[in-house]
Amino acid sequence: MTAPSTSPTPSRPPSRLDAAVRRHEALGPAAASLRALLAAMRAVPVRLPAGVPDARAAAARLHAGVPALTGEPLLDGGGLVESVAALARALAGDGAASGDSLLAVAQALHSVGGTPGGTALAEAALGGAWDEVADVARRLDVDEYSLVAALDYAVRPVLRAAAAQLAPVLAGAAWARGSCPACGAPPLLAELRGAEEGRTLRCGRCASAWPFARLECPGCGERDHRRLLALHAEGEGDHRRADCCESCGLYVKGVAVLDPLAADAVIEEDLATAELDFAAVERGYHR
């Protein structure tokens, strides 16, 4: 009897991050750590309360110039602790170096999970209020950067889910700000789709996308082309560049795409274009 044939498991197609690692081998460890973290995010449970987010309230906030998810009870203290623990267990199970440190953070957070302080910490993490998180790190005697990283990535799945539910509301909003219309975070990068189409800013936290003029700074609104410049390698200005503002010092990276990047791909692309960060920071610009 002939044994049934089996097809090999298809491998992940090469990405732009893979190409960047081939060009710069030093990116290899960072790329591996990032992919482990993104994979661990898929183990974080997402259970939005009934009626959350409230589409009508979100539309009213947007009309008033306030990010749509502001104040939405997406996660309480207990849910935050559960999310951090799930992230840490997934990383540790995958053998990631950061797994043990995040397990220690998760253990420390158990003392605040069901308290008003835990809910306040969840609100701070959802809103990106990292100064408040730093204060909590000192009280819990845990590493500030480990706590910030744990909370940031632990809340991203629920932010993505909530923003996706509000997609029709966000699409119909007249949002002209440089920050994310859903969660209020600054853009991680911009997608470029041809000179006529302008650019689309992308959020690294909730994965939202919103159109924004090419000749305008997302940070301060500067529109004087003499104060706006682009850093790029020779011949790559239309494909990969850092748009910099002389007025406020902000820079936003732009990458040419044919189709919108998937949520994880936005974060991978940020690392794949690290050389633009080095060039911008070296010249005194900041994100």
Side-chain angles (χ1 to χ4, degrees), residues 29-173:
S33 296
L34 177 62
R35 282 177 167 154
L37 191 53
L38 294 175
M41 280 173 54
R42 292 191 277 276
V44 175
V46 176
R47 290 186 290 271
L48 288 168
V52 175
D54 183 325
R56 183 174 297 180
R61 291 188 201 104
L62 287 167
H63 183 72
V66 177
L69 294 174
T70 302
E72 290 283 345
L74 306 180
L75 205 61
D76 60 13
L80 178 68
V81 172
E82 181 184 6
S83 296
V84 172
L87 183 75
R89 287 193 300 269
L91 280 169
D94 196 41
S98 58
D100 290 340
S101 64
L102 289 193
L103 283 172
V105 167
Q107 184 63 36
L109 285 175
H110 275 290
S111 64
V112 301
T115 69
T119 297
L121 183 59
E123 292 172 356
L126 289 167
W130 304 124
D131 288 343
E132 296 178 29
V133 172
D135 290 339
V136 174
R138 287 188 286 271
R139 292 200 299 272
L140 295 178
D141 193 26
V142 297
D143 179 72
E144 172 186 338
Y145 298 104
S146 294
L147 181 59
V148 168
L151 297 185
D152 185 13
Y153 280 88
V155 302
R156 290 190 187 199
V158 74
L159 283 173
R160 288 181 181 182
Q165 284 199 20
L166 291 181
V169 175
L170 294 167

Side-chain angles (χ1 to χ4, degrees), residues 234-246:
E234 184 176 357
E236 290 195 356
D238 291 334
H239 306 289
R240 290 160 24 108
R241 66 172 189 252
D243 291 310
C244 308
C245 177
E246 290 288 289

Side-chain angles (χ1 to χ4, degrees), residues 192-195 197-199 212-216 228 241 243:
L192 311 175
R193 299 197 189 100
E197 295 187 47
R199 60 179 171 171
F212 201 79
R214 282 208 181 190
L215 283 178
E216 182 176 347
L228 302 171
R241 66 172 189 252
D243 291 310

